[in-house]
C-alpha cells in the first residue's frame, strides 16, 4: 500500500476559545466588566497544528469532533489552516469543548467546559476500570481527561492507521495512561514531542515517570515542571526531569525558556514584543517553533530561539495562532539576531 508522507502528526482534541482581553480588572462577584478586545478562535492542540502548518510543515490532526455547531466551526478552522482533517473522527452527537480566556495585564485565567460522551467507548485506549468504588470514581475522571487528549482508538486501530502514513514526528499531551501508545509510536521511529496540561492529580500519578522515559522531548511550562518534581525553581526541575526524558524544555513565559539535556542547561530569553495582547496559546505556538527547528536539524540554542520567537509573537494578537510567523519571517528574525542568553553555550552556573 502506498503511504502518505507527513511531517507531524498532532494527536488530541481541539476546543473553541472565547477570548476577552483588555479588562480593567479581574471580574468581581456581582459586578460586570467590559473588555476592549474580543475574539473567537480554535485552541488547544489546534494552535500547535496551525502554527506548524503556517511554518510550512505537512500536518495532520488525529482527534474527535461532534455534530454540534462548535465542532463544525472547529472543522472549518482546521481546514482553513491547511491541516489534514481526514484523520478526525466525527460523532453524531454534541461534543462541545469550550474555554473562556480572560486577559488582564498580560496574564490570563480560564473557565472551560467539555461535553463528553455519555459513556466511555469500550475500545478506548484509556486505562481499565478499577475495582473499588473510590478507584472507579478516579478512573472515571481519568477516562474523561483521557478523552480530552486522545481519540477513542484501540491500539490495533492506531497501528493500522500508522501503517497508512509515514511520519517524522508526533505531538501530543501527557497522560499517565499513554505508555502503550508511546511504545507503539516509538516503534515507528518518530520523534515524540510531549507537552502537558494543568491536571494536578494526573501530574502526581506514579505512571508519569515511565511515560516521560518514552518521549523524545518534554515541553512543560514552569508551573507544570515544578508540580511534577516538587522543585522550587525551573533549573532544579529541569535537571530532575532530564533524568527521565532525553531532552526537557521548560517554558518560562516572559522570562524565555530553559532546556536541559543530561546535566547541561541552555537558557534563551523571550523575544521582545511591544505589547502583550493575549498570552493564550503562546506555549502551544512555542512548541510549534521548537518542533519546526528540530525537524530542520537546528542546534538546541537555535531551536530555543525559534520557539521563543513564535511564542512571543503569539502574544501580540488575540488567539494563539493569529500572529505566529510563517517560515520566511521566522528565518528572517532568527538570522537577524544572535542566539544568546545566559548559559546559551552551556551550564549558566
Amino acid at each position: 500500500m502506498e503511504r502518505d508522507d507527513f511531517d507531524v502528526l498532532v494527536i488530541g482534541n481541539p476546543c473553541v476559545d472565547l477570548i476577552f482581553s483588555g479588562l480593567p480588572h479581574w471580574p468581581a462577584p456581582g459586578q460586570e466588566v467590559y473588555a476592549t478586545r474580543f475574539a473567537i478562535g480554535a485552541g488547544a492542540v489546534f494552535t500547535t497544528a496551525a502554527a506548524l502548518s503556517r511554518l510550512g510543515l505537512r500536518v495532520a490532526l488525529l482527534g474527535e469532533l461532534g455534530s454540534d455547531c462548535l465542532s463544525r466551526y472547529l472543522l472549518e478552522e482546521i481546514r482553513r489552516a491547511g491541516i489534514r482533517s481526514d484523520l478526525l473522527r466525527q460523532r453524531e452527537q454534541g461534543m462541545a469543548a469550550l474555554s473562556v480566556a480572560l486577559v488582564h495585564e498580560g496574564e490570563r485565567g480560564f473557565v472551560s467546559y467539555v461535553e463528553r460522551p455519555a459513556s466511555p467507548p469500550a475500545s478506548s485506549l484509556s486505562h481499565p476500570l478499577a475495582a473499588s468504588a473510590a478507584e472507579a470514581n478516579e478512573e472515571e475522571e481519568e477516562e474523561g481527561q483521557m478523552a480530552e487528549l486522545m481519540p477513542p482508538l484501540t491500539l490495533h486501530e492506531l497501528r493500522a492507521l500508522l501503517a497508512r502514513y509515514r511520519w517524522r514526528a508526533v505531538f501530543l499531551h501527557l497522560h499517565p495512561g499513554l505508555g502503550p501508545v508511546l511504545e507503539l509510536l516509538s516503534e515507528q521511529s518518530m520523534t515524540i514531542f510531549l507537552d502537558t496540561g494543568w491536571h494536578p492529580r494526573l501530574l502526581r500519578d506514579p505512571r508519569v515517570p515511565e511515560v516521560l522515559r518514552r518521549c523524545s522531548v518534554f515541553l512543560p511550562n514552569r508551573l507544570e515542571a515544578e508540580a511534577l518534581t516538587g522543585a522550587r525553581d525551573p533549573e532544579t526541575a529541569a535537571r530532575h526531569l532530564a533524568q527521565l526524558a532525553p531532552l526537557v524544555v521548560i517554558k518560562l513565559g516572559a522570562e524565555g525558556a530553559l532546556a536541559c539535556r543530561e546535566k547541561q542547561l541552555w537558557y534563551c530569553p523571550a523575544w521582545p514584543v511591544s505589547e502583550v495582547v493575549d498570552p493564550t496559546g503562546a506555549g502551544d505556538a512555542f512548541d510549534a517553533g521548537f518542533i519546526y527547528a528540530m525537524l530542520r536539524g537546528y542546534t538546541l540554542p537555535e531551536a530555543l530561539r525559534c520557539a521563543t520567537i513564535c511564542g512571543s509573537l503569539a502574544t501580540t494578537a488575540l488567539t494563539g495562532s493569529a500572529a505566529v510567523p510563517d517560515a520566511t519571517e521566522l528565518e528572517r528574525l532568527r538570522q537577524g539576531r544572535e542566539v544568546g542568553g545566559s548559559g546559551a553555550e552551556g551550564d549558566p552556573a
Side-chain angles (χ1 to χ4, degrees), residues 55-227:
L55 288 167
L57 299 181
R58 294 194 66 201
V59 184
L61 180 58
L62 174 60
E64 187 177 37
L65 296 173
S67 57
D68 53 279
C69 62
L70 295 181
S71 292
R72 292 195 296 272
Y73 168 76
L74 287 170
L75 182 59
E76 210 174 280
E77 291 299 296
I78 288 165
R79 290 171 173 167
R80 192 195 314 273
I83 302 164
R84 183 81 167 256
S85 63
D86 53 322
L87 301 185
L88 287 168
R89 287 190 168 190
Q90 286 191 272
R91 293 195 185 197
E92 289 301 319
Q93 64 183 91
M95 289 189 61
L98 182 68
S99 284
V100 175
L102 305 177
V103 183
H104 173 57
E105 294 185 346
E107 191 49 84
R108 79 280 195 212
F110 296 97
V111 178
S112 298
Y113 172 78
V114 176
E115 184 177 325
R116 303 184 182 99
S119 59
S123 60
S124 174
L125 285 168
S126 46
H127 197 65
L129 291 177
S132 72
E135 288 176 333
N137 288 335
E138 288 190 357
E139 288 292 352
E140 184 176 352
E141 179 185 354
E142 183 178 313
E143 289 270 1
Q145 289 167 329
M146 187 69 156
E148 293 180 40
L149 302 173
M150 292 287 296
L153 297 173
T154 64
L155 288 174
H156 176 74
E157 289 172 322
L158 182 59
R159 187 184 299 275
L161 184 151
L162 293 173
R164 294 168 47 200
Y165 302 90
R166 188 177 289 107
W167 311 96
R168 298 176 62 194
V170 59
F171 172 83
L172 67 168
H173 281 75
L174 174 68
H175 187 282
L178 279 181
V181 178
L182 296 190
E183 183 176 1
L184 176 57
L185 294 173
S186 65
E187 292 174 3
Q188 309 297 315
S189 300
M190 293 187 287
T191 304
I192 300 172
F193 294 90
L194 195 66
D195 200 341
T196 187
W198 186 245
H199 298 295
R201 190 183 68 80
L202 297 187
L203 296 181
R204 295 190 298 267
D205 192 288
R207 293 171 291 169
V208 165
E210 187 57 36
V211 172
L212 294 181
R213 289 188 181 96
R214 297 180 184 276
C215 77
S216 309
V217 184
F218 184 43
L219 295 146
N221 65 28
R222 178 175 183 161
L223 288 177
E224 293 155 355
E226 292 177 359

